[in-house]
C-alpha cells in the first residue's frame, strides 16, 4: 500500500504488520544489488522509488511464501507498475474521485478508464456504486477485457436478519469499502474451497454487458471471522482520533473533494456534535496542507462550515531540517515551494471567510486584510500571519514545519509535545492572543487533513512509538 505515513516499511506488511527493519534491510540490498548488476549498460538507470519498492514487495512476498498478497495500485491502474500481475484472484475498484488529474485525466470518465485497466480476462472484478457515466466506462473496459464485473450490494443487505455490523473505521463512506472488502474476501475463500460463504451467480459468456446495468453480486451470510475483521480493522491516518488530555487530534488523510466531504461529515459527528465543556471554552483548529495538482481552494471551501477558530498551514516537513529523517523527506518539493503554497492557502482561507461575512452570524464584520504577508521576526522560527489588525475568529497562521505548528496548537498541554518556544517567539498579536486562548480552553479540537503526508508527519510527532 502507499503512501506510508511514518516509516517506509509500512508499505510492505505481512499479517498486518510492517516487515521488520532487519527484513527490510536484507531484501532492499538483495534487490538493489541484483538490479545494479544486471541493468542495461546502454540505459544505466535504476527503477524509480515506487517501482523499486513494488519489485521489492513482490520479492518479499515470494520469499516469505505468503498465502495471499493484497496489492494496492499506486496511481490509476492501467499504466501503474503494480499492474504486471497477469492473473490475480480478484480485482476491486473502490469509489472513484478526482485526483492526480495531470496523470489520469481531468474527468471521472478518464479516471474510470485508467482504473479499469486492472481488469483481467476471466478474473472477477467488483466495484461499488458509481456515477452513471464512470460506471459505464468501467463496464466497457470489463467487456473489452472479457472480465466479469459485478456491483457490490450495500452493506445494509448483509445486515438483514442480524444485528448492525460494527466497522473499525469511522465514517459513512467506509460502508462501501467494507462491502467491497467482503466481496473480495469471499472470492478468495471460494477459490480456496471454503464452504458457507455464498455462491456467485455467474453471467453467461454470451450475455452482452454493454448497455445493461452491471449485474449485482448477491449478498451472503457473513462468517464470524468476517464480522470480527470488519470490527477490528485499523488504518492509521484515516478517521483517527487521538485524545491527549485537553487536546483531541482528529486525523484524516483526505485530499480530494469527495474525501474531504466525507471527512467533514465525520468530524462534525465526532467533534462538533459534542457538548461544549461546562467548565470553559472550546477552541477548534484546522491544520491543513495539500500537495500535487490538487484544487486547494475547492478543498478549503468545504472546510469553512466547520467554524474553526484558527486555521494553521504548514508544509509536510516534520522539522525545518529533514536531513535526519529520510522517511519523511520529499525530494520533489523544496521548503521554499512548500511555504509558498502555504501562503497561498492562507490567502485563500482569508478570502473564503470574507465571502462568508454577512452570511454567517458567527463571523464578525468587517474582516480587513492589509497588504502582503510578511514573516514575523521571530527568534530562530518563522511565523507568517496577516499583518493587518484581525478579529480573533479564524485567523490564518503559517508555520515552516509541523513541529512548530503542533507545538503552537498544543501550547504544552499535550504530553507528547514539547512546549512552544518562550513568549516572544511569536510576537504577532494573533499568535499571542491565540496562544492564551489555547492554553485556557477546556477543550482543544484539532482537525489535521488535506494530505496523507501531513497526517503521517503529525503521527510521527504525536505517537513516537510509531517510529520504533
Amino acid at each position: 500500500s502507499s503512501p506510508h505515513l511514518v516509516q517506509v516499511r509500512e508499505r510492505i506488511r505481512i499479517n498486518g504488520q510492517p516487515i521488520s527493519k532487519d527484513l527490510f534491510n536484507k531484501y532492499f540490498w538483495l534487490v538493489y544489488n541484483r538490479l545494479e548488476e544486471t541493468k542495461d549498460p546502454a540505459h544505466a538507470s535504476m527503477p524509480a522509488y515506487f517501482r523499486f519498492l513494488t519489485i521489492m514487495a513482490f520479492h518479499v512476498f515470494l520469499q516469505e511464501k505468503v498465502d495471499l498478497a493484497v496489492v494496492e495500485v499506486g496511481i490509476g491502474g492501467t499504466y501503474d507498475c503494480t499492474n504486471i500481475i497477469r492473473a490475480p484472484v480478484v480485482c476491486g475498484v473502490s469509489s472513484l474521485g478526482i485526483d492526480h488529474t495531470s496523470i489520469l485525466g481531468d474527468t471521472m470518465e478518464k479516471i474510470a478508464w485508467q482504473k479499469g485497466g486492472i481488469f483481467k480476462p476471466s478474473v472477477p472484478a467488483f466495484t461499488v456504486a458509481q456515477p452513471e457515466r464512470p460506471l459505464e466506462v468501467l463496464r466497457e473496459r470489463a467487456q473489452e477485457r472479457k472480465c466479469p464485473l459485478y456491483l457490490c450490494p450495500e452493506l445494509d443487505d448483509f445486515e438483514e436478519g442480524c444485528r448492525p455490523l460494527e466497522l473499525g473505521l469511522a465514517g459513512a463512506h467506509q460502508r462501501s469499502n467494507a462491502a467491497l472488502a467482503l466481496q473480495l474476501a469471499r472470492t478468495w475463500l471460494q477459490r480456496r474451497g471454503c464452504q458457507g460463504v455464498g455462491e456467485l451467480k455467474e453471467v453467461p459468456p454470451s450475455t452482452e454487458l454493454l448497455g445493461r446495468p452491471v449485474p449485482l453480486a448477491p449478498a451472503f451470510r457473513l462468517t464470524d471471522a468476517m464480522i470480527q475483521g470488519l470490527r477490528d480493522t485499523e488504518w492509521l491516518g484515516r478517521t483517527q482520533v487521538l485524545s491527549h488530555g485537553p487536546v483531541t487530534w482528529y486525523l484524516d488523510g483526505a485530499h480530494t473533494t469527495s474525501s474531504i466531504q466525507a471527512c467533514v461529515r465525520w468530524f462534525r459527528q465526532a467533534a462538533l456534535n459534542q457538548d461544549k465543556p461546562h467548565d470553559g471554552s472550546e477552541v477548534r483548529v484546522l491544520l491543513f496542507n495539500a500537495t500535487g495538482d490538487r484544487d486547494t481552494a475547492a478543498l478549503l471551501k468545504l472546510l469553512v462550515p466547520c467554524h474553526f477558530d484558527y486555521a494553521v498551514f504548514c508544509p509536510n516537513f516534520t522539522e525545518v531540517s529533514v536531513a535526519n529523517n529520510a522517511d519523511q523527506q520529499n525530494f520533489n518539493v523544496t521548503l521554499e515551494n512548500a511555504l509558498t503554497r502555504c501562503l497561498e492557502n492562507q490567502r485563500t482561507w482569508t478570502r473564503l471567510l470574507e465571502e462568508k461575512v454577512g452570511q454567517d452570524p458567527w463571523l464578525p464584520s468587517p474582516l480587513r486584510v492589509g497588504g502582503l504577508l510578511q514573516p514575523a521576526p521571530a527568534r530562530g522560527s518563522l511565523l507568517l500571519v496577516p499583518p493587518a489588525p484581525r478579529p480573533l475568529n479564524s485567523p490564518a497562521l503559517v508555520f515552516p514545519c509541523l513541529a512548530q505548528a503542533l507545538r503552537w496548537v498544543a501550547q504544552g498541554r499535550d504530553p507528547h509535545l514539547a512546549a512552544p518556544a518562550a513568549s516572544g517567539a511569536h510576537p504577532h498579536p494573533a499568535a499571542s492572543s491565540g496562544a492564551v486562548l489555547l492554553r485556557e480552553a477546556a477543550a482543544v479540537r484539532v482537525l489535521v487533513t488535506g494530505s496523507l503526508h501531513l497526517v503521517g508527519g503529525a503521527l510521527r510527532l504525536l505517537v513516537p512509538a510509531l517510529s520504533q
Side-chain angles (χ1 to χ4, degrees):
S1 64
S2 63
H4 63 272
L5 291 173
V6 177
Q7 297 194 74
V8 68
R9 296 182 292 111
E10 298 164 27
R11 294 175 183 239
I12 306 173
R13 299 168 184 252
I14 296 179
N15 294 333
Q17 296 302 312
I19 60 174
S20 68
K21 290 181 180 178
D22 288 343
L23 215 56
F24 187 94
N25 189 50
K26 168 187 167 183
Y27 286 121
F28 177 92
W29 288 112
L30 196 154
V31 173
Y32 184 92
N33 291 333
R34 189 71 56 84
L35 290 171
E36 183 70 36
E37 291 161 8
T38 57
K39 66 185 180 185
D40 182 352
H43 305 92
S45 63
M46 294 286 278
Y49 182 81
F50 185 83
R51 291 188 177 195
F52 181 92
L53 288 172
T54 302
I55 296 166
M56 182 176 155
F58 288 143
H59 187 70
V60 169
F61 294 151
L62 290 167
Q63 294 300 308
E64 296 296 312
K65 297 181 170 54
V66 301
D67 300 299
L68 165 67
V70 180
V71 179
E72 182 199 29
V73 301
I75 294 177
T78 299
Y79 304 117
D80 192 79
C81 63
T82 58
N83 199 27
I84 66 165
I85 302 173
R86 294 175 185 170
V89 172
V90 62
C91 296
V93 175
S94 58
S95 183
L96 297 172
I98 296 287
D99 198 15
H100 302 293
T101 52
S102 61
I103 300 170
L104 304 182
D106 55 2
T107 67
M108 292 277 274
E109 290 81 0
K110 291 175 182 176
I111 290 171
W113 188 93
Q114 295 280 0
K115 302 283 186 178
I118 66 170
F119 296 157
K120 302 292 186 290
S122 303
V123 173
F126 295 88
T127 189
V128 296
Q130 311 280 9
E132 184 178 359
R133 268 301 296 150
L135 185 61
E136 286 177 10
V137 173
L138 288 176
R139 185 176 60 210
E140 290 161 6
R141 291 286 271 162
Q143 186 189 33
E144 284 169 18
R145 292 166 170 262
K146 298 179 171 54
C147 159
L149 175 65
Y150 302 91
L151 200 59
C152 293
E154 298 290 334
L155 202 58
D156 295 3
D157 296 337
F158 291 93
E159 295 176 335
E160 287 181 7
C162 65
R163 66 181 186 277
L165 293 166
E166 293 178 45
L167 300 186
L169 297 178
H173 59 292
Q174 296 295 354
R175 291 182 66 81
S176 71
N177 289 336
L180 179 59
L182 288 171
Q183 293 292 346
L184 301 180
R186 187 212 54 80
T187 305
W188 164 251
L189 291 167
Q190 190 179 36
R191 170 72 72 89
R192 292 291 294 264
C194 297
Q195 300 300 313
V197 289
E199 295 301 310
L200 189 67
K201 296 174 183 175
E202 296 291 345
V203 177
S206 59
T207 304
E208 286 285 326
L209 283 177
L210 193 64
R212 298 179 66 251
V214 174
L216 190 68
F220 51 88
R221 184 179 179 82
L222 303 187
T223 65
D224 290 342
M226 289 175 172
I227 294 169
Q228 181 183 347
L230 293 177
R231 184 179 64 237
D232 294 348
T233 297
E234 292 180 348
W235 200 253
L236 297 180
R238 277 74 165 185
T239 59
Q240 183 179 2
V241 181
L242 296 175
S243 295
H244 290 182
V247 186
T248 306
W249 306 90
Y250 300 84
L251 302 109
D252 191 76
H255 50 272
T256 65
T257 51
S258 56
S259 61
I260 288 283
Q261 285 170 330
C263 171
V264 167
R265 286 194 296 270
W266 161 71
F267 179 68
R268 289 171 79 96
Q269 185 175 5
L272 304 190
N273 287 346
Q274 302 289 327
D275 290 334
K276 285 209 172 189
H278 296 300
D279 56 344
S281 63
E282 172 188 280
V283 177
R284 301 170 191 162
V285 182
L286 170 66
L287 179 56
F288 180 91
N289 192 39
T291 59
D293 53 8
R294 297 182 176 93
D295 183 352
T296 309
L299 303 185
L300 288 172
K301 187 171 185 177
L302 295 170
L303 290 159
V304 169
C306 289
H307 299 180
F308 292 104
D309 298 296
Y310 295 93
V312 176
F313 304 97
C314 71
N316 293 340
F317 302 116
T318 48
E319 303 282 354
V320 175
S321 170
V322 290
N324 299 321
N325 185 2
D327 279 300
Q328 299 294 133
Q329 192 146 359
N330 184 341
F331 296 99
N332 300 318
V333 180
T334 66
L335 178 60
E336 185 179 2
N337 289 342
L339 276 173
T340 300
R341 180 132 190 196
C342 290
L343 289 168
E344 290 170 359
N345 293 342
Q346 182 188 43
R347 282 191 287 268
T348 299
W349 184 257
T350 302
R351 177 177 53 78
L352 287 168
L353 292 182
E354 287 174 337
E355 291 171 0
K356 295 291 283 183
V357 170
Q359 300 175 33
D360 281 350
W362 62 275
L363 270 179
S365 181
L367 282 168
R368 295 190 307 277
V369 183
L372 295 172
L373 299 167
Q374 299 293 333
R379 293 182 301 194
S381 68
L382 179 67
L383 172 70
L384 298 161
V385 291
R390 306 278 304 176
L392 287 181
N393 282 65
S394 294
L397 295 83
V398 174
F399 291 86
C401 68
L402 255 165
Q404 290 189 25
L406 292 180
R407 286 183 198 127
W408 181 81
V409 171
Q411 288 297 315
R413 304 179 74 191
D414 184 326
H416 297 287
L417 294 169
S423 59
H426 302 310
H428 194 280
S432 301
S433 58
V436 173
L437 288 178
L438 289 163
R439 280 196 297 269
E440 295 179 351
V444 179
R445 306 192 190 280
V446 192
L447 175 62
V448 184
T449 193
S451 162
L452 274 167
H453 301 286
L454 178 77
V455 166
L459 278 171
R460 185 183 188 91
L461 296 165
L462 296 170
V463 189
L466 292 175
S467 301
Q468 302 306 312

